[in-house]
Coordinates of all heavy atoms in Angstrom, one line a residue:
M20 N 0.8 -1.2 0.0 CA 0.0 0.0 0.0 C 0.9 1.2 0.0 O 1.7 1.4 0.8 CB -0.9 0.0 1.2 CG -1.8 1.2 1.4 SD -2.8 1.2 2.9 CE -4.0 0.0 2.5
G21 N 0.7 2.1 -0.9 CA 1.5 3.3 -1.0 C 1.0 4.4 0.0 O 0.0 4.3 0.6
A22 N 1.7 5.5 0.1 CA 1.4 6.5 1.0 C 0.1 7.2 0.7 O -0.7 7.5 1.6 CB 2.5 7.6 1.0
L23 N -0.3 7.3 -0.6 CA -1.5 7.9 -1.0 C -2.7 7.0 -0.6 O -3.7 7.5 -0.1 CB -1.6 8.2 -2.5 CG -2.8 8.9 -3.0 CD1 -3.1 10.2 -2.2 CD2 -2.8 9.2 -4.5
D24 N -2.5 5.7 -0.8 CA -3.6 4.8 -0.4 C -3.8 4.8 1.1 O -4.9 4.8 1.6 CB -3.2 3.3 -0.8 CG -3.2 3.2 -2.3 OD1 -4.1 3.9 -3.0 OD2 -2.4 2.4 -2.8
N25 N -2.7 4.9 1.9 CA -2.9 5.0 3.4 C -3.6 6.3 3.8 O -4.4 6.3 4.6 CB -1.5 4.9 4.0 CG -1.6 4.8 5.5 OD1 -2.4 4.1 6.0 ND2 -0.7 5.4 6.2
Y26 N -3.3 7.4 3.1 CA -3.9 8.7 3.4 C -5.4 8.5 3.1 O -6.3 9.0 3.9 CB -3.3 9.8 2.6 CG -4.0 11.1 2.7 CD1 -3.9 11.8 3.9 CD2 -4.8 11.6 1.7 CE1 -4.6 13.0 4.0 CE2 -5.5 12.8 1.8 CZ -5.4 13.5 3.0 OH -6.0 14.7 3.1
K27 N -5.8 8.0 1.9 CA -7.2 7.8 1.6 C -7.9 7.0 2.6 O -9.0 7.2 3.0 CB -7.3 7.1 0.2 CG -6.9 8.1 -1.0 CD -7.1 7.3 -2.3 CE -6.6 8.2 -3.4 NZ -6.7 7.4 -4.7
K28 N -7.3 5.9 3.1 CA -7.9 5.1 4.1 C -8.1 5.9 5.4 O -9.1 5.8 6.0 CB -7.0 3.9 4.4 CG -7.5 2.9 5.4 CD -6.6 1.8 5.6 CE -7.2 0.9 6.7 NZ -6.3 -0.2 7.1
Q29 N -7.2 6.7 5.8 CA -7.3 7.5 7.0 C -8.4 8.5 6.9 O -9.2 8.7 7.8 CB -6.0 8.3 7.3 CG -4.9 7.4 7.8 CD -3.6 8.1 8.0 OE1 -3.6 9.3 7.8 NE2 -2.5 7.4 8.3
I30 N -8.6 9.2 5.8 CA -9.6 10.2 5.7 C -11.0 9.5 5.5 O -12.0 10.2 5.7 CB -9.4 11.2 4.6 CG1 -9.3 10.6 3.2 CG2 -8.1 12.0 4.9 CD1 -9.2 11.6 2.1
A31 N -11.0 8.3 5.0 CA -12.3 7.6 4.8 C -12.7 6.9 6.1 O -13.9 6.5 6.2 CB -12.2 6.5 3.8
T32 N -11.9 6.9 7.2 CA -12.2 6.3 8.4 C -13.0 7.3 9.3 O -12.4 8.3 9.6 CB -10.9 5.8 9.1 OG1 -10.2 4.9 8.3 CG2 -11.3 5.1 10.4
P33 N -14.2 6.9 9.7 CA -14.9 7.9 10.6 C -14.2 8.1 11.9 O -13.5 7.2 12.4 CB -16.3 7.2 10.8 CG -16.1 5.8 10.3 CD -14.9 5.7 9.5
P34 N -14.3 9.3 12.5 CA -13.6 9.6 13.7 C -14.0 8.7 14.8 O -13.2 8.4 15.7 CB -14.0 11.0 14.0 CG -15.2 11.4 13.2 CD -15.2 10.4 12.0
G35 N -15.2 8.2 14.8 CA -15.6 7.3 15.9 C -14.8 6.0 16.0 O -14.8 5.3 17.0
S36 N -14.2 5.6 14.9 CA -13.5 4.3 14.9 C -12.3 4.4 15.8 O -11.8 3.4 16.2 CB -13.1 4.0 13.5 OG -12.2 4.9 13.0
R37 N -11.8 5.6 16.1 CA -10.6 5.7 16.9 C -11.0 6.0 18.4 O -10.2 5.7 19.3 CB -9.7 6.9 16.4 CG -9.0 6.5 15.1 CD -8.0 7.6 14.8 NE -8.1 7.7 13.3 CZ -8.0 8.8 12.6 NH1 -8.0 10.0 13.2 NH2 -8.1 8.8 11.3
Y38 N -12.1 6.7 18.6 CA -12.4 7.2 19.9 C -13.8 6.7 20.4 O -14.3 7.2 21.4 CB -12.5 8.7 19.9 CG -11.2 9.3 19.3 CD1 -11.2 9.9 18.1 CD2 -10.1 9.3 20.0 CE1 -10.0 10.4 17.5 CE2 -8.9 9.8 19.5 CZ -8.9 10.4 18.3 OH -7.7 10.9 17.8
G39 N -14.3 5.7 19.8 CA -15.7 5.2 20.1 C -16.6 5.5 19.0 O -16.3 6.2 18.1
D40 N -17.8 5.0 19.1 CA -18.7 5.2 18.0 C -19.6 6.4 18.2 O -20.2 6.6 19.3 CB -19.7 3.9 17.9 CG -18.9 2.7 17.4 OD1 -18.0 2.9 16.6 OD2 -19.3 1.6 17.8
P41 N -19.6 7.3 17.2 CA -20.5 8.5 17.4 C -22.0 8.1 17.2 O -22.3 7.1 16.6 CB -20.0 9.4 16.3 CG -19.5 8.5 15.2 CD -18.9 7.3 16.0
S42 N -22.8 8.9 17.7 CA -24.3 8.8 17.4 C -24.6 9.8 16.4 O -24.0 10.9 16.3 CB -25.1 9.1 18.7 OG -24.8 8.2 19.7
Y43 N -25.6 9.5 15.5 CA -25.9 10.4 14.4 C -27.3 10.9 14.6 O -28.2 10.2 15.0 CB -25.8 9.6 13.1 CG -24.4 9.1 12.9 CD1 -24.1 7.8 13.2 CD2 -23.4 10.0 12.4 CE1 -22.8 7.4 13.0 CE2 -22.1 9.5 12.2 CZ -21.8 8.2 12.5 OH -20.5 7.8 12.3
Y44 N -27.5 12.2 14.2 CA -28.8 12.9 14.3 C -29.0 13.7 13.1 O -28.1 14.4 12.6 CB -28.8 13.8 15.6 CG -28.6 13.1 16.9 CD1 -27.3 12.9 17.4 CD2 -29.7 12.5 17.5 CE1 -27.1 12.3 18.6 CE2 -29.5 11.8 18.7 CZ -28.2 11.7 19.2 OH -28.0 11.0 20.4
D45 N -30.3 13.8 12.6 CA -30.6 14.7 11.5 C -30.5 16.1 12.0 O -30.7 16.4 13.2 CB -32.1 14.4 11.0 CG -32.2 13.1 10.3 OD1 -31.2 12.6 9.8 OD2 -33.4 12.6 10.3
V46 N -30.1 17.0 11.2 CA -30.0 18.4 11.6 C -30.6 19.3 10.5 O -30.4 19.0 9.3 CB -28.5 18.8 11.8 CG1 -27.7 18.7 10.6 CG2 -28.4 20.2 12.5
T47 N -31.3 20.3 10.9 CA -31.9 21.3 10.0 C -31.0 22.6 10.1 O -30.8 23.1 11.2 CB -33.3 21.7 10.5 OG1 -34.1 20.5 10.4 CG2 -33.9 22.7 9.5
P48 N -30.5 23.0 9.0 CA -29.6 24.2 9.0 C -30.4 25.4 9.6 O -31.6 25.6 9.4 CB -29.3 24.5 7.6 CG -29.4 23.1 6.9 CD -30.6 22.5 7.7
S49 N -29.7 26.2 10.5 CA -30.3 27.4 11.1 C -29.1 28.4 11.4 O -28.1 28.0 11.8 CB -30.9 27.0 12.4 OG -31.3 28.1 13.2
D50 N -29.4 29.6 11.2 CA -28.4 30.7 11.5 C -28.4 31.0 12.9 O -27.5 31.8 13.4 CB -28.7 31.9 10.6 CG -28.4 31.7 9.2 OD1 -27.7 30.8 8.8 OD2 -29.0 32.4 8.3
S51 N -29.4 30.5 13.7 CA -29.5 30.9 15.1 C -29.4 29.8 16.1 O -29.0 30.0 17.3 CB -30.8 31.7 15.4 OG -31.9 30.9 15.0
V52 N -29.8 28.6 15.7 CA -29.8 27.4 16.6 C -28.4 26.7 16.6 O -27.9 26.4 15.5 CB -30.9 26.4 16.2 CG1 -30.9 25.2 17.1 CG2 -32.3 27.1 16.3
T53 N -27.9 26.5 17.8 CA -26.6 25.8 17.9 C -26.9 24.3 17.9 O -27.9 23.8 18.3 CB -25.8 26.2 19.1 OG1 -26.6 25.9 20.3 CG2 -25.4 27.6 19.1
V54 N -25.9 23.5 17.4 CA -25.9 22.0 17.5 C -25.3 21.6 18.9 O -24.8 22.4 19.6 CB -25.2 21.4 16.3 CG1 -25.9 21.7 15.0 CG2 -23.7 21.8 16.3
R55 N -25.4 20.3 19.1 CA -24.9 19.8 20.4 C -23.4 20.1 20.5 O -22.6 20.1 19.5 CB -25.1 18.3 20.4 CG -26.5 17.9 20.6 CD -26.7 16.4 20.6 NE -25.8 15.8 21.5 CZ -26.0 14.6 22.1 NH1 -27.1 13.9 21.8 NH2 -25.1 14.0 22.8
S56 N -22.9 20.4 21.7 CA -21.6 20.8 22.0 C -20.6 19.6 21.7 O -19.4 19.9 21.5 CB -21.4 21.3 23.4 OG -21.7 20.2 24.3
D57 N -21.1 18.4 21.6 CA -20.2 17.3 21.4 C -20.2 16.8 19.9 O -19.8 15.7 19.6 CB -20.5 16.1 22.3 CG -22.0 15.7 22.3 OD1 -22.8 16.4 21.6 OD2 -22.3 14.7 22.9
T58 N -20.6 17.7 19.0 CA -20.6 17.4 17.6 C -19.2 17.4 17.0 O -18.4 18.2 17.3 CB -21.4 18.5 16.8 OG1 -22.8 18.5 17.3 CG2 -21.5 18.3 15.3
V59 N -18.9 16.3 16.3 CA -17.6 16.1 15.7 C -17.6 16.0 14.2 O -16.6 16.1 13.6 CB -16.9 14.8 16.3 CG1 -16.7 15.0 17.8 CG2 -17.7 13.6 16.0
L60 N -18.8 15.8 13.6 CA -18.8 15.8 12.1 C -20.2 16.2 11.6 O -21.2 16.1 12.3 CB -18.4 14.4 11.6 CG -19.3 13.2 11.9 CD1 -20.3 13.0 10.8 CD2 -18.4 11.9 11.9
V61 N -20.2 16.6 10.3 CA -21.4 16.9 9.6 C -21.4 16.2 8.3 O -20.3 16.0 7.7 CB -21.5 18.4 9.4 CG1 -22.8 18.8 8.6 CG2 -21.5 19.2 10.7
G62 N -22.5 15.7 7.8 CA -22.5 14.9 6.6 C -23.8 15.0 5.9 O -24.8 15.6 6.4
V63 N -23.9 14.5 4.7 CA -25.1 14.4 3.8 C -25.5 12.9 3.8 O -24.7 12.1 3.4 CB -24.8 14.9 2.4 CG1 -26.0 14.8 1.5 CG2 -24.2 16.3 2.4
N64 N -26.7 12.7 4.2 CA -27.2 11.3 4.1 C -27.1 10.8 2.7 O -27.1 11.5 1.7 CB -28.7 11.2 4.5 CG -28.9 11.5 6.0 OD1 -28.2 10.9 6.8 ND2 -29.9 12.3 6.3
A65 N -27.0 9.4 2.6 CA -26.9 8.8 1.2 C -28.1 9.2 0.3 O -27.9 9.2 -0.9 CB -26.8 7.3 1.4
S66 N -29.2 9.4 0.9 CA -30.4 9.8 0.1 C -30.6 11.3 0.1 O -31.6 11.8 -0.5 CB -31.7 9.1 0.8 OG -31.8 9.6 2.1
G67 N -29.7 12.1 0.6 CA -29.8 13.5 0.6 C -29.4 14.1 -0.8 O -29.0 13.4 -1.7
G68 N -29.4 15.4 -0.9 CA -29.0 16.1 -2.1 C -27.7 16.8 -2.0 O -27.4 17.4 -1.0
A69 N -26.9 16.7 -3.0 CA -25.6 17.4 -3.1 C -25.7 18.9 -3.0 O -26.7 19.5 -3.4 CB -24.9 17.0 -4.4
G70 N -24.7 19.5 -2.5 CA -24.7 21.0 -2.4 C -23.6 21.4 -1.4 O -22.8 20.7 -1.0
D71 N -23.7 22.7 -1.0 CA -22.7 23.3 -0.1 C -23.3 23.2 1.3 O -24.5 23.2 1.6 CB -22.5 24.8 -0.4 CG -22.0 25.0 -1.8 OD1 -21.4 24.0 -2.4 OD2 -22.1 26.1 -2.3
I72 N -22.3 23.1 2.3 CA -22.7 23.1 3.7 C -21.9 24.2 4.4 O -20.6 24.2 4.4 CB -22.4 21.8 4.4 CG1 -23.2 20.6 3.7 CG2 -22.8 21.9 5.9 CD1 -22.9 19.3 4.3
A73 N -22.6 25.2 4.9 CA -21.9 26.3 5.6 C -22.0 26.0 7.1 O -23.1 25.7 7.6 CB -22.6 27.6 5.3
I74 N -20.9 26.3 7.8 CA -20.9 26.0 9.3 C -20.3 27.2 10.0 O -19.6 28.0 9.4 CB -20.1 24.8 9.6 CG1 -18.6 24.9 9.2 CG2 -20.7 23.5 9.0 CD1 -17.7 23.9 9.9
E75 N -20.6 27.3 11.3 CA -19.9 28.2 12.2 C -19.1 27.3 13.2 O -19.7 26.4 13.7 CB -20.8 29.1 12.9 CG -20.1 30.1 13.9 CD -21.1 31.0 14.6 OE1 -22.1 31.5 13.9 OE2 -20.9 31.2 15.8
Q76 N -17.8 27.7 13.4 CA -17.0 26.9 14.3 C -17.0 27.5 15.7 O -17.5 28.6 15.9 CB -15.6 26.8 13.7 CG -15.6 26.0 12.3 CD -14.2 26.0 11.7 OE1 -13.5 27.0 11.6 NE2 -13.8 24.8 11.4
T77 N -16.4 26.8 16.6 CA -16.4 27.2 18.0 C -15.7 28.5 18.2 O -16.0 29.3 19.1 CB -15.7 26.2 18.9 OG1 -14.4 25.8 18.4 CG2 -16.6 24.9 19.0
D78 N -14.7 28.9 17.3 CA -14.1 30.2 17.5 C -14.8 31.3 16.8 O -14.3 32.4 16.7 CB -12.6 30.1 17.0 CG -12.5 29.8 15.5 OD1 -13.5 29.7 14.8 OD2 -11.4 29.7 15.0
G79 N -16.0 31.0 16.2 CA -16.8 32.1 15.6 C -16.6 32.2 14.1 O -17.3 32.9 13.4
T80 N -15.6 31.5 13.5 CA -15.3 31.6 12.1 C -16.3 30.8 11.3 O -16.9 29.8 11.9 CB -13.9 31.2 11.7 OG1 -13.7 29.8 12.1 CG2 -12.8 32.1 12.3
T81 N -16.6 31.2 10.1 CA -17.5 30.5 9.3 C -16.7 29.9 8.1 O -15.7 30.4 7.7 CB -18.7 31.3 8.7 OG1 -18.1 32.4 8.0 CG2 -19.5 31.8 9.9
F82 N -17.2 28.7 7.6 CA -16.6 28.1 6.5 C -17.6 27.3 5.7 O -18.6 26.8 6.3 CB -15.6 27.0 7.1 CG -14.7 26.4 6.0 CD1 -13.6 27.1 5.6 CD2 -15.0 25.2 5.4 CE1 -12.8 26.6 4.6 CE2 -14.2 24.6 4.5 CZ -13.1 25.3 4.0
T83 N -17.5 27.3 4.4 CA -18.4 26.5 3.5 C -17.7 25.4 2.9 O -16.6 25.6 2.2 CB -19.0 27.5 2.5 OG1 -19.7 28.5 3.2 CG2 -20.0 26.7 1.6
F84 N -18.2 24.2 3.0 CA -17.7 23.0 2.3 C -18.5 22.9 1.0 O -19.7 22.7 1.1 CB -17.9 21.8 3.1 CG -16.9 21.7 4.3 CD1 -17.3 22.3 5.5 CD2 -15.7 21.1 4.3 CE1 -16.5 22.3 6.6 CE2 -14.9 21.1 5.4 CZ -15.3 21.7 6.5
N85 N -17.8 23.1 -0.1 CA -18.5 23.2 -1.4 C -18.7 21.8 -2.0 O -17.9 20.9 -1.9 CB -17.7 24.0 -2.4 CG -17.7 25.5 -1.9 OD1 -18.7 26.1 -1.6 ND2 -16.4 26.0 -1.8
D86 N -19.9 21.7 -2.7 CA -20.2 20.5 -3.5 C -20.1 19.2 -2.7 O -19.5 18.2 -3.2 CB -19.3 20.4 -4.7 CG -19.8 19.5 -5.8 OD1 -21.0 19.3 -5.9 OD2 -19.0 18.9 -6.5
M87 N -20.6 19.1 -1.5 CA -20.7 17.9 -0.7 C -21.7 16.9 -1.4 O -22.8 17.3 -1.8 CB -21.1 18.2 0.7 CG -20.1 19.0 1.5 SD -18.6 18.1 1.9 CE -19.2 16.7 2.8
Q88 N -21.3 15.7 -1.5 CA -22.1 14.7 -2.2 C -22.8 13.8 -1.2 O -22.3 13.6 -0.1 CB -21.2 13.8 -3.1 CG -20.5 14.6 -4.2 CD -21.5 15.2 -5.2 OE1 -22.4 14.6 -5.7 NE2 -21.4 16.5 -5.4
P89 N -23.9 13.2 -1.6 CA -24.6 12.2 -0.7 C -23.6 11.2 -0.2 O -22.8 10.6 -1.0 CB -25.7 11.6 -1.6 CG -26.0 12.7 -2.6 CD -24.6 13.3 -2.8
G90 N -23.6 10.9 1.1 CA -22.7 10.0 1.7 C -21.4 10.6 2.2 O -20.6 9.9 2.9
G91 N -21.2 11.8 1.8 CA -19.9 12.5 2.3 C -20.1 13.2 3.6 O -21.2 13.5 4.1
S92 N -19.0 13.3 4.3 CA -19.0 13.9 5.6 C -17.6 14.6 5.9 O -16.6 14.3 5.2 CB -19.3 13.0 6.8 OG -18.3 12.0 6.9
F93 N -17.6 15.5 6.9 CA -16.3 16.1 7.3 C -16.3 16.3 8.8 O -17.3 16.4 9.4 CB -16.1 17.4 6.5 CG -17.2 18.4 6.8 CD1 -17.2 19.3 7.9 CD2 -18.3 18.5 5.9 CE1 -18.2 20.2 8.1 CE2 -19.3 19.4 6.1 CZ -19.3 20.3 7.3
C94 N -15.1 16.3 9.3 CA -14.9 16.5 10.8 C -14.6 18.0 11.0 O -13.9 18.6 10.2 CB -13.7 15.7 11.3 SG -13.9 14.0 11.1
S95 N -15.2 18.5 12.0 CA -15.0 19.9 12.4 C -15.6 20.2 13.8 O -16.4 19.5 14.3 CB -15.7 20.9 11.4 OG -15.4 22.2 11.6
D96 N -15.1 21.3 14.4 CA -15.6 21.7 15.7 C -16.8 22.7 15.4 O -16.7 23.9 15.4 CB -14.5 22.4 16.5 CG -13.9 23.6 15.8 OD1 -14.0 23.7 14.5 OD2 -13.3 24.4 16.5
V97 N -18.0 22.1 15.1 CA -19.1 22.8 14.6 C -20.0 23.3 15.8 O -20.2 22.6 16.8 CB -20.0 21.9 13.8 CG1 -21.3 22.5 13.3 CG2 -19.2 21.3 12.6
V98 N -20.4 24.6 15.7 CA -21.4 25.2 16.6 C -22.7 25.3 15.9 O -23.8 25.0 16.6 CB -20.9 26.6 17.1 CG1 -21.9 27.3 17.9 CG2 -19.6 26.5 17.8
K99 N -22.7 25.7 14.7 CA -24.0 25.8 13.9 C -23.8 25.3 12.5 O -22.7 25.4 11.9 CB -24.4 27.3 13.8 CG -24.7 28.0 15.1 CD -25.0 29.4 14.8 CE -25.2 30.2 16.1 NZ -25.4 31.6 15.9
V100 N -24.8 24.6 12.0 CA -24.9 24.3 10.6 C -25.8 25.4 10.0 O -27.0 25.5 10.3 CB -25.5 22.9 10.3 CG1 -25.6 22.7 8.8 CG2 -24.7 21.9 11.0
L101 N -25.2 26.3 9.3 CA -25.9 27.6 8.9 C -26.9 27.4 7.7 O -26.6 26.6 6.8 CB -24.9 28.6 8.5 CG -23.9 29.0 9.6 CD1 -22.8 29.9 9.0 CD2 -24.6 29.7 10.7
A102 N -28.0 28.0 7.8 CA -29.0 28.0 6.7 C -28.5 28.8 5.6 O -28.6 28.4 4.4 CB -30.4 28.5 7.2
T103 N -27.9 30.0 5.9 CA -27.4 30.9 4.9 C -26.1 30.2 4.3 O -25.1 30.0 5.0 CB -27.0 32.3 5.5 OG1 -28.2 32.8 6.0 CG2 -26.4 33.2 4.4
G104 N -26.2 29.9 3.0 CA -25.0 29.3 2.3 C -25.1 27.8 2.2 O -24.3 27.2 1.5
T105 N -26.0 27.2 2.9 CA -26.2 25.7 2.8 C -27.2 25.4 1.8 O -28.4 25.8 1.9 CB -26.6 25.1 4.2 OG1 -25.5 25.3 5.1 CG2 -26.9 23.6 4.1
T106 N -26.8 24.6 0.8 CA -27.8 24.1 -0.3 C -27.9 22.6 -0.3 O -28.9 22.1 -0.9 CB -27.2 24.6 -1.7 OG1 -25.9 24.1 -1.9 CG2 -27.2 26.1 -1.7
A107 N -27.1 21.9 0.4 CA -27.2 20.4 0.5 C -28.4 20.1 1.3 O -28.8 20.9 2.2 CB -26.0 19.8 1.1
T108 N -29.0 18.9 1.1 CA -30.2 18.5 1.9 C -29.9 17.2 2.5 O -29.0 16.4 2.1 CB -31.5 18.4 1.0 OG1 -31.2 17.5 -0.1 CG2 -31.8 19.8 0.4
G109 N -30.7 16.8 3.5 CA -30.6 15.5 4.1 C -29.3 15.5 5.0 O -28.6 14.5 5.0
L110 N -29.1 16.5 5.8 CA -27.9 16.6 6.6 C -28.0 15.9 8.0 O -29.1 15.8 8.5 CB -27.6 18.1 6.9 CG -27.5 19.0 5.6 CD1 -27.1 20.4 6.0 CD2 -26.4 18.4 4.7
Y111 N -26.9 15.5 8.5 CA -26.8 14.9 9.8 C -25.6 15.4 10.5 O -24.6 15.9 9.9 CB -26.9 13.4 9.7 CG -25.6 12.8 9.1 CD1 -24.5 12.4 9.9 CD2 -25.6 12.5 7.7 CE1 -23.4 11.9 9.3 CE2 -24.4 12.0 7.2 CZ -23.4 11.6 7.9 OH -22.2 11.1 7.4
I112 N -25.6 15.2 11.9 CA -24.4 15.5 12.6 C -24.0 14.2 13.4 O -24.9 13.3 13.6 CB -24.6 16.6 13.7 CG1 -25.8 16.3 14.6 CG2 -24.7 17.9 13.0 CD1 -25.9 17.3 15.8
G113 N -22.7 14.0 13.6 CA -22.2 12.9 14.5 C -21.7 13.5 15.8 O -21.0 14.5 15.8
V114 N -22.1 12.9 16.9 CA -21.7 13.4 18.2 C -21.1 12.3 19.0 O -21.4 11.1 18.8 CB -22.9 14.0 19.0 CG1 -23.6 15.2 18.2 CG2 -24.0 12.9 19.3
M115 N -20.1 12.7 19.8 CA -19.5 11.8 20.8 C -20.1 12.1 22.1 O -20.0 13.2 22.7 CB -18.0 12.1 20.8 CG -17.3 11.9 19.5 SD -17.5 10.2 18.8 CE -16.4 9.3 19.9
S116 N -20.8 11.1 22.6 CA -21.4 11.3 24.0 C -20.9 10.4 25.0 O -20.1 9.5 24.7 CB -22.9 11.2 23.9 OG -23.4 10.3 22.9

């Protein structure tokens, strides 16, 4: 296995595999409602719609993950999944409890 294959395996491994299994919850984007404080990832359900996901992080910065595809997810210190700038549908969060 080459270095690139090892990297692909690492980024495809959900964070819960190293630290325990996360629980998953559907989330509705909102510019005012915060998500659970133990949120470790955001993703698009396999039956969801592709698009952008805008988030606010714990330090107050905002970031948009562009062109997220169904089944895709990313790890981040998320405080909010923002309605403004989010076009993907069928979103969920993963939390470590």
